[in-house]
């Protein structure tokens, strides 16, 4: 019965349940009845074994399987009558990296995308080349300027690459924030 969906992807050591709790905060009460909340669960709480800044090969085949899992959810939603234009994909930490990589590798018009404390999964320090168009998809990137897990230059480069793919990027860097989701980010997701 939903006419829009929110796909939430957890970080390393996180859970689908935690992300569904975040979804309940994000979706306004007036829209809950018409919004499907989905949150896949990674085996053993991790989508891929190494950091997102490690060489891509070191995270295979787990990374490819995780990307296919997201593709399966997006396909399921499309079959249920919710095309990508009615979908907000959001992830935190490792989940943010996975969501951003997914939309960069499978660019099209999505309802919106949010990467909370994450960046594109590149090949070590070598930028990847992406092609296609996100066709004006609103895309939120939020991260601390001192996040131990997410180097600021990776967030900056991700914003640039995703803008180059045609996303309308709203990048917010928070001074001295811990590796977490803050109230401003939740408000940004509510607007998306």
């Amino acid at each position: 019965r939903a006419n829009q969906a929110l796909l939430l992807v957890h970080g390393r050591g996180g859970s689908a349940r935690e992300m569904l709790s975040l979804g309940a905060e994000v979706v306004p009460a007036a829209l809950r009845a018409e919004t499907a909340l989905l949150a896949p669960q990674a085996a053993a709480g991790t989508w891929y074994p190494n950091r997102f800044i490690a060489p891509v090969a070191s995270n295979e085949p787990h990374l490819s399987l995780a990307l296919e899992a997201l593709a399966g959810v997006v396909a399921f939603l499309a079959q249920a009558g919710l095309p990508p234009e009615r979908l907000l994909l959001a992830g935190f930490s490792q989940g943010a990296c996975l969501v951003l990589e997914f939309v960069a590798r499978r660019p099209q018009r999505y309802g919106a995308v949010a990467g909370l404390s994450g960046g594109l999964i590149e090949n070590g320090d070598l930028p990847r080349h992406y092609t296609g168009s996100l066709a004006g998809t609103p895309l939120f990137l939020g991260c601390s300027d001192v996040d131990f897990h997410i180097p600021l230059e990776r967030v900056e480069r991700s914003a640039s690459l995703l803008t180059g793919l045609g996303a309308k990027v709203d990048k917010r860097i928070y001074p001295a924030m811990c590796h977490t989701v803050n109230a401003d980010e939740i408000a940004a997701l509510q607007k998306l």
Side-chain angles (χ1 to χ4, degrees), residues 24-37:
E25 286 185 64
V26 167
V27 178
L31 297 178
R32 287 190 187 139
E34 59 192 67
T35 305
L37 295 179

Side-chain angles (χ1 to χ4, degrees), residues 38-113:
L38 297 98
Q41 176 66 50
T46 188
W47 296 105
Y48 46 88
N50 298 305
R51 295 183 67 195
F52 82 112
I53 59 175
V56 171
S58 72
N59 280 314
E60 293 296 359
H62 309 285
L63 175 58
S64 291
L65 293 171
L67 291 167
E68 284 305 313
L70 292 189
V73 176
V74 172
F76 167 79
L77 289 169
Q79 289 175 343
L82 293 173
E85 305 86 47
R86 310 243 359 118
L87 171 62
L88 165 58
L89 295 100
F92 171 68
S93 191
Q94 190 182 63
C97 299
L98 190 61
V99 162
L100 296 172
E101 188 68 19
F102 176 80
V103 301
R105 290 188 186 194
R106 295 174 184 251
Q108 60 181 312
R109 178 59 160 94
Y110 295 95
V113 175

Side-chain angles (χ1 to χ4, degrees), residues 52 91-94 96-97 100 115-120 141-143 147 150-151 154-155 158 179:
F52 82 112
F92 171 68
S93 191
Q94 190 182 63
C97 299
L100 296 172
L116 307 170
S117 299
L120 288 166
L141 285 175
C143 196
D147 191 311
I150 314 296
R154 274 307 187 65
V155 178
S158 296
H179 189 67

